[in-house]
Amino acid sequence: MKSFLKLWIFLAFSTALFAESPFSLESLSSVNVTVLNKHKHLNDAYVKDLEKEIASKLSAAGIGISTKHFSNFLIKIQETKVQNSSLMHVTLSLVENAHLKRSTEIDTIAITYSRDDFFETKSAEVDVKESIFFLVDEFIDQYKEENPKSKK
């Protein structure tokens, strides 16, 4: 069972490293930043500081950090105990309004961007922050690539 878990983590990590993003960030203008903390050991002040740092990085990249539209930049932090260690799962998602053209038009919400990071940790605060900013930097790099006229 242990070797299967290691294999699954390795495959999930390696495919995430080498896969091109199927998501588009073209014409993204602004988002609302939220950090959803499902890890019991990270305190609220730490999470609020993370939100501020994320908002600052997005703003510096030319992405507005407040919108009345449903455009949520969501970081979700989860922990799973595996024997004597902690396996962390950090997800960055962009959830937005979507207009589907089917036999009848449907207004809905959709996940328009998503990336994950899985890792084992003994120091959650340091490793979670590193993981979050790794994912945020990937998001910003793709944003800049798809929006070359944006503020850099």
Side-chain angles (χ1 to χ4, degrees), residues 54-78:
I54 293 165
S56 176
K57 285 182 80 84
L58 293 174
S59 183
I63 303 170
I65 54 166
S66 180
T67 180
K68 294 179 182 174
H69 301 287
F70 191 86
S71 183
N72 294 325
F73 184 94
L74 177 67
I75 300 285
K76 185 175 177 184
I77 305 165
Q78 296 175 285

Side-chain angles (χ1 to χ4, degrees), residues 5-56:
L5 179 63
K6 286 181 182 178
L7 177 63
W8 184 83
I9 291 170
F10 171 77
L11 289 175
F13 181 71
S14 63
T15 56
L17 277 178
F18 301 110
E20 289 292 322
S21 174
F23 304 105
S24 174
L25 299 175
E26 194 171 343
S27 298
L28 178 68
S29 60
S30 58
V31 296
N32 298 311
V33 176
T34 303
V35 175
L36 182 57
N37 178 22
K38 298 284 189 169
H39 180 17
K40 300 171 189 161
H41 304 296
L42 299 177
N43 65 45
D44 291 341
Y46 178 79
V47 171
K48 287 293 179 198
D49 287 343
L50 283 174
E51 283 182 359
K52 288 177 187 174
E53 289 183 60
I54 293 165
S56 176

Side-chain angles (χ1 to χ4, degrees), residues 40-128:
K40 300 171 189 161
H41 304 296
L42 299 177
N43 65 45
D44 291 341
Y46 178 79
V47 171
K48 287 293 179 198
D49 287 343
L50 283 174
E51 283 182 359
K52 288 177 187 174
E53 289 183 60
I54 293 165
S56 176
K57 285 182 80 84
L58 293 174
S59 183
I63 303 170
I65 54 166
S66 180
T67 180
K68 294 179 182 174
H69 301 287
F70 191 86
S71 183
N72 294 325
F73 184 94
L74 177 67
I75 300 285
K76 185 175 177 184
I77 305 165
Q78 296 175 285
E79 174 188 29
T80 302
K81 292 286 189 186
V82 179
Q83 294 174 350
N84 295 333
S85 62
S86 293
L87 180 65
M88 301 300 293
H89 180 199
V90 176
T91 305
L92 184 159
S93 300
L94 182 63
V95 183
E96 300 178 280
N97 284 330
H99 187 74
L100 302 178
K101 296 193 179 214
R102 297 193 178 162
S103 58
T104 60
E105 292 184 2
I106 302 169
D107 288 321
T108 187
I109 60 170
I111 297 173
T112 57
Y113 182 92
S114 183
R115 295 294 284 215
D116 296 286
D117 191 16
F118 297 92
F119 55 93
E120 187 175 353
T121 186
K122 296 202 186 301
S123 174
E125 283 190 6
V126 172
D127 293 339
V128 164

